[in-house]
Amino acid sequence: MHDFRWPALITLGVVLLLFIVAWVVGRARDKYKVQAPATTGHPDFERAFRVQMNTVENAVAFLPVLWLFAAFVNGFWAAALGAVWLLGRVWYAVAYLKDPATRGGGFLVSTLAFAALALGSAWGVIRALL
């Protein structure tokens, strides 16, 4: 039996991050008077909106590989890599909101963690099929 407590904790962290970036967009809509469904307006609103969309886009790909790695490789290491991804995404979001030119470090960290999870998941699934 696999221990999925740690990947579950990371999943809750991702849900919290998604909530926070949505909240930031809501605040930016109010502050800069950008009425829904508009997605353009003040540059600071647009930056917050892009952070939210980039986070959602990445989470959609991240969550399956997190859970595949946990199921076919190891739950603890899935969570460890997931924590790195999560920290990278937080770094990315904070940096992007301050100055988009500084988002690269967070992007790199989260991308490397994602790649490790994706490759590990593929290896685990293929190994199980053989």
Side-chain angles (χ1 to χ4, degrees):
M1 180 70 183
H2 293 284
D3 182 0
F4 294 130
R5 293 174 296 171
W6 295 111
L9 183 63
I10 297 302
T11 300
L12 289 174
V14 173
V15 171
L16 179 60
L17 177 60
L18 291 169
F19 176 80
I20 290 169
V21 297
W23 179 72
V24 168
V25 170
R27 285 188 59 211
R29 278 191 183 283
D30 185 53
K31 181 176 181 178
Y32 300 111
K33 308 296 184 227
V34 178
Q35 298 299 315
T39 58
T40 60
H42 192 280
D44 288 344
F45 165 77
E46 291 180 12
R47 218 175 5 248
F49 183 74
R50 283 311 314 152
V51 166
Q52 181 192 24
M53 290 300 99
N54 290 341
T55 303
V56 169
E57 292 161 0
N58 276 265
V60 166
F62 166 75
L63 288 169
V65 296
L66 172 75
W67 284 98
L68 286 169
F69 194 103
F72 288 93
V73 180
N74 182 283
F76 175 80
W77 287 109
L81 289 167
V84 171
W85 181 88
L86 190 55
L87 290 171
R89 292 310 301 177
V90 169
W91 177 6
Y92 173 88
V94 170
Y96 201 146
L97 288 170
K98 286 183 181 178
D99 178 7
T102 65
R103 71 191 190 275
F107 176 80
L108 179 63
V109 167
S110 63
T111 299
L112 291 173
F114 174 81
L117 285 165
L119 292 170
S121 295
W123 174 78
V125 170
I126 292 168
R127 185 185 63 173
L129 289 170
L130 300 176

